[in-house]
Amino acid sequence: MVSAHVDTFAARNLPPREQWPEFLFDGPQLCFPEQLNCATELLDRWVERGLGDRPCVQGGGVRWTYADLQAQANRIARVLVDDLGLVPGNRVLLRGANSPMLAACWFAVVKAGGIAVGSMPLLRAKELTQIATKAEVTHALCDARLAEELALARPACPTLTKLLHFNTNEPGELDARAAAKPASFENVKTSKDDTCIIAFTSGTTGQPKGTMHFHRDVMAACATWPRHVLRPTHDDVFIGSPPLAFTFGLGGLLLFPLSVGASTVLLEKASPDVLPAAIAQYRATILFTAPTSYRAMAGLLAGHDLSSLKKCVSAGEALPAPTRALWKQASGIEMIDGIGSTELLHIFISHDEAHAKPGATGTAVPGYVACVLDDEGRELPRGKVGHLAVKGPTGCRYLADERQRNYVQNGWNLTGDAYLIDADGYFVYQARTDDMIVSGGYNIAGPEVESALLLHPKVAECGVIGVADAERGQIVKAFVVPKPGHEPDEALARELQEFVKKTIAPYKYPRAVEFRSSLPRTETGKLQRFKLRQAP
Ligand code: 3UK
């Protein structure tokens, strides 16, 4: 079927076909009709089936049913099309903390055949300029409280000509305009292969990369990990912290709950100090957050009724075995770990609660295949560390970016992670490929040393990197945040070094230990090792 895009920017900026990964569509769940709009499937279908009265999205004092979200999305779609001249294929920057209104904006864009470009709330003008110019963003819908950075970016974003703010009563802004529109809208009949999302990687250094996902990719993500691993029901209440601008959050807190007719709680603030109370307040059943957030929350559960909670999902970085154990002790729940990436849209290796193996990420999610390759692209036997390679119904398509050749080789998506497959066939994370430490001829994975340190009762958080050393090439260095009440002194450093030597192979112990009051992290919860490396 032909594209519905009038503005053909996306199609013109896809990587050449020969650089695409191989896509696998195994089974009826992954056979999509030629004409497919994922907003219709995820939202309008439920209302059509008479389920419009079911709870859909809440947060910040708002409680919307499926019919309410549909009506609000339709009104916003009308503003985009009638007032802002949006044509299918235009890119719309979305800017706001997680909220029902942000969800409505996302659906409005996709209903109108536009391309949603999420942006992390904390991005500064420089980063906003990078993504707006790279994606040639034409429109923006921005929370009034985040207006300033976008205003600073605008002079450098010539394509961005149409901007409305929401969460404001100003006449002429989005809320007032939407309120004046009818609640009906006919979704654009997009092709399954039309791009509907450009998701930028949370990139640690360099120019951010835009990943392009089609309507069929969104439906494929819903038909794989949630269906086979999470297995939610329509009575589940989802909650969590990842921003909707991060595909971990978009899937976990919006697409997946709606794909089964469940409901979701979108909180503007979902840090470890407020999540336990929110879980109790909303009687949430499924939680999504990052490993460090689980670790921090484990000590903050007293006095909160978490009896509603059934499933806890961890992703974004490796889940250390001690954090899994700590959370199980605190909450009684065995976590579901899963590795996903912006390039592959969501989780492709994981396990359910019954098959958790501490320290391992799991096995390939049905629909995906995964293996470990050597530097020449040959499959390695079990037990050998190499490059994680994945194929499935979703995959990497960078927006006009030479780095496509790095991520996709011989049809495989190469995530940049060093992994091994253990004797049970489980994938065990080692480190980011670039982060493997080579010290005195040994390969050492920083996260393994971190896991050892996290077992020590005086350690709140830690990060381990390699630093240049004349004698050994590199030495292992640990940055440690001690738990309150423990002096960051020489004696503690020595105690931690001895502890690691007794816990894992002694040659892996951190020869240098530096104490910090906090560690640098991205908005998605990832430790910024490059910042630790730059440290004086
Ligand atoms: C790392 C993990 C070990 C790994 C993401 C779930 O994190 C997501 O996407 P990003 O593009 O980063 C991808 C990279 O993050 N990683 C993520 N999860 C794990 N490492 N164990 C894990 N469980 O280096 C990967 O290559 O920011 C996660 C769903 C959607 C996502 N976008």
Side-chain angles (χ1 to χ4, degrees), residues 6 17 63 72 96 137 248 258 302 312 365 378 439 471 480:
V6 174
R17 281 280 171 152
R63 292 185 66 151
Q72 183 67 356
V137 164
F248 178 38
L258 269 64
C312 294
V365 168
R378 288 175 303 228
S439 181
E471 202 182 318
V480 174

Side-chain angles (χ1 to χ4, degrees), residues 120 199-203 211 225 246-252 256 288 291 313-319 336-350 360-361 388 407 414-419 429-433 522 524 526:
M120 303 285 182
F200 280 87
T201 57
S202 48
T211 65
W225 179 79
F246 180 26
T247 63
F248 178 38
L250 182 69
F256 302 164
F288 284 77
V313 180
S314 170
E317 5 177 64
L319 174 63
I336 300 173
D337 186 10
I339 177 171
S341 73
T342 309
E343 289 82 354
L344 282 132
L345 196 50
H346 220 271
I347 294 173
F348 46 82
I349 292 175
S350 184
T361 317
L388 178 64
Y407 205 95
L414 300 176
T415 63
D417 296 296
Y419 258 88
Y429 177 81
Q430 306 295 305
R432 292 288 303 168
T433 328
T522 63
T524 59
K526 286 191 217 299

Side-chain angles (χ1 to χ4, degrees), residues 239 274-285 301 303-309:
I239 199 167
V274 300
L275 259 182
I279 294 164
Q281 180 192 343
Y282 294 98
R283 305 282 309 150
T285 61
L301 297 187
H304 298 292
D305 172 15
L306 297 199
S307 59
S308 59
L309 202 56

